[in-house]
Amino acid sequence: MMWTTSAVAVVVFLARCSTAENTATTTTTTTTTTTTTLSLKEHPPPVDMSLPACDYMDDGKGNVPKYHLDSTCDRALANHPATRTSRHVRYKALLQTGVDHIPDEITAVCPQQVENWEMGSGDAPASSTSSYGHDTKVLIDNEASTPVVVIFLKNGIEYSAMNAAITPPHHDPTTILQPGQWAHLTTFEGHVFYVRELTKEGGLGPILVQHRTGIVPITNKSGRVLPCEKPKFPAQHHLEQLPPKKQEQLVKRALEKVDPEPKVLDPIRHLEEVTKRDPDWDRSHPHTQERCHIIYKGFRNMVDGCALNMMYVGMQEAPTSGPMMCREEFKFHLGLHPSPEDYMHSWESRTKFEATFVGHTWVARLASDMTIVVDTYTVAPVVVRDCPSLKDQVVIGVGAQGMGIGELQAIPANSTATPPGVNVTANAAQANVHSI
């Protein structure tokens, strides 16, 4: 099944590449570059003082973001082997389907028009509705001056994000965040959450934030022409005549010419001339004792024809006396293949997943020229703020309480009475909500 899925992706991938190349040849002159792999020890990543400061890093001085303090979770439970087992099971399932169907992460703050980002609509194909991405965390911080309600949709009806059995959602006090409170949600990539204002009357006001979990798209934000040697694939009509496994071999061979995996002799089997990936360019081993609410986040290379190296910006002492400064450390490579055999570990995979937390800054550097920064991304919570400009908010295909998917309606305040004994503005004591 893996080869069948991969083969379809390869054909689509080649069609896109062919179209891009044909367009490029009519407007630009192709520049050929020589791709070489440099040693990280001999050529360490440059120090870029223009990058965001590392003021949220765990530098051994207790400088840890509030969302990841030990007081916010049971670390023994969070690092229980069962959690890792379920993540591995999910990884095995996604090996069969690939990860290209997982939508991009996106957030809308104070949206005048709320679009339908649910799986099975827009850029998320309907065939993928039962195949979300990896497990992840969503951190929602209420900086608004009013209480808010965290919601998710099921069949066009709003439910509590903390308890899928409760609707209307504001009947669940555990999904209400008071000003200054924050919550963590354990979910899967592709799920969409909505944060609505709780009115003084106890009803639901406008949507202040709409957030879809998903993969972070790495793009060429500078807009500059990048010096990349694009892979040259066999003609698509020729590949389509070959068995899927042969197609994959030819594609991988073309990718290796422009983006070779750095390898060294295996010290154990060097007499047999067996090679393995150079440890300088290998991925870090997973931690067995992770901090609270670590976020598993996917990154996808969307830069046409250019492989990237993802660098983690950490805090280190300056070589001589002086202030702390940001330095970079290689963490993983984003290649050009949309559906390799192993999206997580294959060098040529354009999608990788990494454990990270709030305040981490990731820098995408051009693999063929590490002096060029293509994109940066800093991990942050979903912050809710006041939206005084929201008046006649419109929902397209999302459905306010009691409305079906696909309708275009203004969101009214919810007039459903609050159940007896439930104080919707009380500071509910719950495991998922924090006041620090």
Side-chain angles (χ1 to χ4, degrees):
M1 180 175 178
M2 183 190 309
W3 283 117
T4 302
T5 303
S6 179
V8 173
V10 165
V11 171
V12 174
F13 174 47
L14 291 178
R16 290 175 181 170
C17 290
S18 176
T19 301
E21 288 179 0
N22 290 339
T23 302
T25 54
T26 62
T27 58
T28 63
T29 301
T30 302
T31 300
T32 302
T33 60
T34 302
T35 303
T36 58
T37 302
L38 302 178
S39 167
L40 282 178
K41 294 178 181 178
E42 297 175 359
H43 302 274
V47 177
D48 190 343
M49 299 308 293
S50 66
L51 295 174
C54 311
D55 54 348
Y56 288 108
M57 300 313 303
D58 181 5
D59 55 5
K61 300 179 181 179
N63 196 8
V64 178
K66 65 180 182 180
Y67 314 99
H68 307 293
L69 293 171
D70 289 350
S71 58
T72 63
C73 80
D74 181 343
R75 287 186 67 179
L77 180 62
N79 289 283
H80 194 277
T83 301
R84 298 183 182 279
T85 299
S86 62
R87 185 169 298 130
H88 186 71
V89 170
R90 189 66 186 152
Y91 160 65
K92 289 293 188 181
L94 288 170
L95 284 178
Q96 304 301 313
T97 64
V99 293
D100 244 25
H101 68 276
I102 304 174
D104 291 346
E105 173 186 82
I106 187 171
T107 304
V109 178
C110 299
Q112 287 289 350
Q113 183 169 289
V114 181
E115 303 288 345
N116 186 3
W117 294 344
E118 300 291 333
M119 294 286 278
S121 67
D123 57 354
S127 60
S128 66
T129 52
S130 63
S131 184
Y132 290 93
H134 275 282
D135 63 293
T136 188
K137 292 277 187 181
V138 177
L139 305 174
I140 300 177
D141 198 337
N142 183 19
E143 294 185 5
S145 59
T146 61
V148 297
V149 185
V150 186
I151 296 165
F152 85 101
L153 288 181
K154 184 168 61 176
N155 297 324
I157 304 299
E158 298 178 26
Y159 287 82
S160 161
M162 303 295 181
N163 188 330
I166 298 180
T167 185
H170 60 306
H171 286 191
D172 176 16
T174 69
T175 201
I176 297 173
L177 298 182
Q178 300 298 316
Q181 287 188 326
W182 63 274
H184 69 272
L185 300 170
T186 300
T187 185
F188 290 91
E189 292 168 320
H191 284 171
V192 183
F193 296 94
Y194 307 84
V195 182
R196 294 184 70 167
E197 180 181 343
L198 188 66
T199 67
K200 293 180 180 179
E201 295 76 24
L204 293 178
I207 293 174
L208 305 182
V209 172
Q210 179 185 12
H211 176 75
R212 182 176 68 194
T213 60
I215 293 179
V216 178
I218 302 299
T219 62
N220 181 13
K221 288 189 170 61
S222 68
R224 63 185 290 183
V225 177
L226 300 175
C228 303
E229 181 183 1
K230 296 185 178 181
K232 298 177 181 178
F233 300 105
Q236 184 176 346
H237 70 273
H238 172 66
L239 276 177
E240 291 175 347
Q241 307 302 316
L242 300 175
K245 191 170 184 178
K246 184 63 175 178
Q247 290 183 27
E248 179 68 20
Q249 289 174 347
L250 292 176
V251 168
K252 188 171 182 179
R253 191 178 303 165
L255 293 173
E256 286 176 345
K257 289 182 179 180
V258 297
D259 182 31
E261 179 178 358
K263 293 184 177 182
V264 296
L265 285 175
D266 190 320
I268 299 176
R269 304 179 61 188
H270 64 281
L271 295 178
E272 305 172 51
E273 296 187 351
V274 175
T275 61
K276 66 172 187 177
R277 185 177 300 170
D278 186 337
D280 283 355
W281 297 92
D282 211 351
R283 301 197 65 176
S284 303
H285 295 293
H287 294 286
T288 56
Q289 290 299 318
E290 294 175 337
R291 288 202 170 275
C292 291
H293 312 313
I294 286 294
I295 303 168
Y296 286 87
K297 195 168 286 292
F299 296 84
R300 179 184 289 137
N301 182 3
M302 300 300 292
V303 182
D304 182 35
C306 297
L308 306 172
N309 288 328
M310 294 298 293
M311 317 298 292
Y312 156 70
V313 181
M315 180 176 279
Q316 297 181 354
E317 292 283 358
T320 58
S321 60
M324 303 289 281
M325 65 180 184
C326 292
R327 296 190 65 87
E328 298 176 30
E329 178 183 352
F330 172 81
K331 281 298 181 181
F332 55 93
H333 179 79
L334 294 180
L336 303 173
H337 202 316
S339 298
E341 289 182 306
D342 188 337
Y343 64 88
M344 187 77 79
H345 301 290
S346 295
W347 180 260
E348 65 272 13
S349 174
R350 75 168 183 171
T351 304
K352 299 282 170 52
F353 295 81
E354 186 76 13
T356 185
F357 59 77
V358 171
H360 276 182
T361 293
W362 297 91
V363 178
R365 290 189 176 273
L366 199 63
S368 59
D369 185 348
M370 292 277 282
T371 64
I372 298 178
V373 173
V374 176
D375 200 354
T376 63
Y377 176 88
T378 300
V379 182
V382 177
V383 177
V384 185
R385 296 186 174 92
D386 291 326
C387 299
S389 63
L390 289 184
K391 294 181 180 179
D392 300 321
Q393 190 177 67
V394 173
V395 177
I396 298 180
V398 174
Q401 184 66 39
M403 301 177 191
I405 288 284
E407 296 185 30
L408 174 61
Q409 298 281 352
I411 298 183
N414 192 299
S415 59
T416 305
T418 303
V422 174
N423 181 356
V424 297
T425 61
N427 183 359
Q430 67 233 231
N432 286 14
V433 174
H434 311 266
S435 299
I436 58 175

